[in-house]
Amino acid sequence: MNAPGVLYVVATPIGNLDDISSRAVAILGQVALVAAEDTRHSGQLLARLGLQVPLLALHEHNEAGRAEALLARLAAGESVALVSDAGTPLISDPGYRLVLAARERGFTVTPVPGACAAIAALSVSGLPTNRFRFEGFLPARAGARRARLAELQACPDTLVFYEAVHRVGGMLADLIEAFGGDRRVCVARELTKLHESFYWGRLADVRAALAADPGGERGEFTLVVAGAPGAVARTPAGAGDLEHVMQVLLGELPAPQAARLAARLTGAPRREAYALALRFGAPPDS
Ligand code: SAM
């Protein structure tokens, strides 16, 4: 009997074709089948890479049904690559059900990492990166969007959103309504492409700058928004960071004392600091 095939989850570029890794090219060239969100789109990428590989459409509307057929190919010893239109599959893209099903059946699932708009935008945003929250697309309906933003208003982590081009202006307006105009934002437009540009600063200023830019509302957008201000002092690594402080104190003190001191130094609740100590493996009443 053949050894089972491997499911490769392969990242493709988000704009600049040179961002594909040589490993991704090798894997795409060696698999029996490429499962793609849009076979025409991915067919063009494969053609540019000089590869001829059979393609099978796997999108949100047929994923559940197609997963079975793909698992059967894996069982028969054929390896499959999953790609999406751009970036990393499963990140606001199809593939979750397939990966889950493959794991549940015990197949090997291997990432071939590469571009991801969220990570690319975050890495150049100038906003804290030690804790961030990927929100992807907010709900399209205005009420549901605003409700989600209201929930996020006090979130201390940097927030990363994807947004469809025709909604960017509305999204900034909603962000200002929910968070106020002073929060910092980095709007990353057309990452890695010819018209790559960034709008950086206060939400209110960035909204005005985008509205005034004739090309401003064209292309693909990722928005990175600062977390709630009260928490900012605790986020950078250093004396204000709870995790860092706890790590240092736990080297010298038992958990209860370390938690009490960490709470005083960082302003975090003592209970949070103590829970962190336990997570770091400190004995409860040492
Ligand atoms: N899986 C992809 C990834 O890894 O980034 C994301 C797919 S999601 C359907 C598409 C969204 O990602 C776009 O609407 C936009 O918000 C963001 N995006 C994709 N490419 C981008 C780019 N070149 N510049 C800025 N944002 C981009």
Side-chain angles (χ1 to χ4, degrees):
M1 217 178 79
N2 282 341
V6 172
L7 174 61
Y8 294 100
V9 178
V10 182
T12 56
I14 55 171
N16 190 324
L17 286 186
D18 287 342
D19 288 339
I20 192 141
S21 71
S22 40
R23 180 165 168 243
V25 178
I27 297 285
L28 290 170
Q30 91 193 24
V31 291
L33 182 73
V34 174
E37 190 183 1
D38 177 338
T39 51
R40 225 181 42 148
H41 183 95
S42 297
Q44 283 168 0
L45 173 70
L46 292 173
R48 285 202 200 145
L49 298 172
L51 301 173
Q52 271 197 317
V53 194
L55 284 149
L56 182 81
L58 182 101
H59 43 72
E60 57 175 319
H61 305 297
N62 71 0
E63 188 176 343
R66 284 278 156 95
E68 273 311 313
L70 289 167
L71 297 183
R73 305 285 296 256
L74 294 175
E78 293 181 318
S79 289
V80 172
L82 171 69
V83 299
S84 55
D85 286 355
T88 302
L90 279 86
I91 307 302
S92 294
D93 267 336
Y96 168 68
R97 273 173 271 183
L98 174 64
V99 168
L100 174 64
R103 287 229 168 267
E104 280 175 344
R105 308 273 182 92
F107 290 110
T108 302
V109 185
T110 298
V112 183
C116 174
I119 299 298
L122 182 67
S123 71
V124 294
S125 67
L127 296 172
T129 52
N130 54 335
R131 279 193 205 108
F132 64 90
R133 185 172 180 128
F134 175 65
E135 279 290 313
F137 291 99
L138 285 181
R141 275 188 306 112
R145 256 163 107 73
R146 291 193 189 133
R148 183 68 195 134
L149 286 175
E151 283 168 11
L152 292 171
Q153 192 271 335
C155 174
D157 307 336
T158 298
L159 302 166
V160 184
F161 300 95
Y162 285 158
E163 191 49 284
V165 55
H166 59 281
R167 291 210 202 98
V168 172
M171 171 73 171
L172 285 167
D174 289 346
L175 283 167
I176 290 169
E177 197 182 303
F179 300 171
D182 283 336
R183 280 250 198 133
R184 278 213 167 144
V185 63
C186 179
V187 175
R189 173 174 166 257
E190 295 283 85
L191 286 162
T192 76
K193 302 187 200 177
L194 185 62
H195 296 292
E196 177 181 88
S197 40
F198 300 94
Y199 302 82
W200 192 86
R202 293 170 62 247
L203 274 166
D205 298 337
V206 164
R207 185 187 177 203
L210 250 168
D213 184 342
E217 289 217 358
R218 274 202 294 273
E220 296 202 272
F221 289 83
T222 297
L223 286 81
V224 187
V225 184
V232 165
R234 283 177 46 197
T235 48
D241 182 74
L242 178 62
E243 283 189 15
H244 175 76
V245 168
M246 276 308 285
Q247 267 162 355
V248 173
L249 292 178
L250 281 172
E252 308 287 331
L253 295 168
Q257 282 97 318
R260 210 172 26 250
L261 264 181
R264 278 175 47 202
L265 285 167
T266 66
R270 196 180 60 80
R271 256 180 302 119
E272 192 186 324
Y274 188 67
L276 197 60
L278 300 188
R279 251 179 45 216
F280 286 156
D285 284 318
S286 56

